[in-house]
Amino acid sequence: MVLQNHLQVAKLSKQPSLDKNESTLPIHGIDLDQDGRCMHYRTENDVVALACAQCHRYFACYLCHDAIMTHKFAPADPTAKSVICGVCHQTMDYQDYSQNECPNCHHAFNPKCVRHQDIYFES
C-alpha cells in the first residue's frame, strides 16, 4: 500500500524518480541502491540502466520508467549512448553493452537482460 501511494504521488507530481540519491546518481527508478538496482531487478549483475528515447533519462528498468513517467518507455537507437553502468557511470551504445560487461570497470551485466532487448532498443 505504501509503495502504491508513492507511485501515485510520483505520477501526480511528475517526478522523474523516487530515489533519495537522485542528485548523485544519474539513474532514475524506484528504491534504488548505490549501483542503480531497483525494486524490480536486484541481482548482483542488475547494474545497467537504459535511456528512454522520448525523455532521454536513464532508468533502472522499463517498469520503473512506466510507473514514474506519464509516457511508455521508448526504445533507443542502438548506436546511441543509451546505456549506463550503475557501478562506474560509463555510458555505452548497444555494441558495447552487448559484451555483457562494462568496458570501463568490467562489472558483469545480467545475461537475462537480452529478453527485454526489444523494449530497450529499436530493431
Side-chain angles (χ1 to χ4, degrees):
M1 182 66 167
V2 173
L3 176 60
Q4 184 177 13
N5 289 340
H6 279 113
L7 293 176
Q8 289 172 349
V9 169
K11 285 182 179 181
L12 290 174
S13 63
K14 297 184 182 178
Q15 294 175 358
S17 174
L18 296 177
D19 175 41
K20 296 175 191 134
N21 300 318
E22 183 177 353
S23 61
T24 59
L25 191 65
I27 299 169
H28 304 282
I30 301 169
D31 192 24
L32 297 180
D33 71 7
Q34 71 278 2
D35 294 327
R37 293 177 196 88
C38 67
M39 66 173 284
H40 303 104
Y41 299 99
R42 295 204 75 82
T43 72
E44 175 64 25
N45 295 337
D46 287 320
V47 296
V48 172
L50 297 109
C52 170
Q54 183 171 337
C55 62
H56 307 288
R57 292 181 177 147
Y58 292 102
F59 284 85
C61 76
Y62 72 97
L63 296 168
C64 285
H65 174 278
D66 291 353
I68 295 169
M69 303 303 286
T70 58
H71 62 274
K72 291 285 188 191
F73 190 95
D77 179 327
T79 63
K81 298 269 186 182
S82 62
V83 182
I84 189 168
C85 175
V87 176
C88 72
H89 303 167
Q90 172 75 31
T91 58
M92 62 200 95
D93 61 15
Y94 176 78
Q95 180 69 29
D96 289 337
Y97 164 68
S98 67
Q99 303 305 306
N100 290 322
E101 74 173 14
C102 178
N104 184 54
C105 71
H106 304 288
H107 193 289
F109 299 150
N110 187 338
K112 293 181 182 177
C113 289
V114 72
R115 296 177 184 168
H116 302 125
Q117 181 174 317
D118 60 328
I119 295 172
Y120 294 115
F121 301 102
E122 296 173 341
S123 22

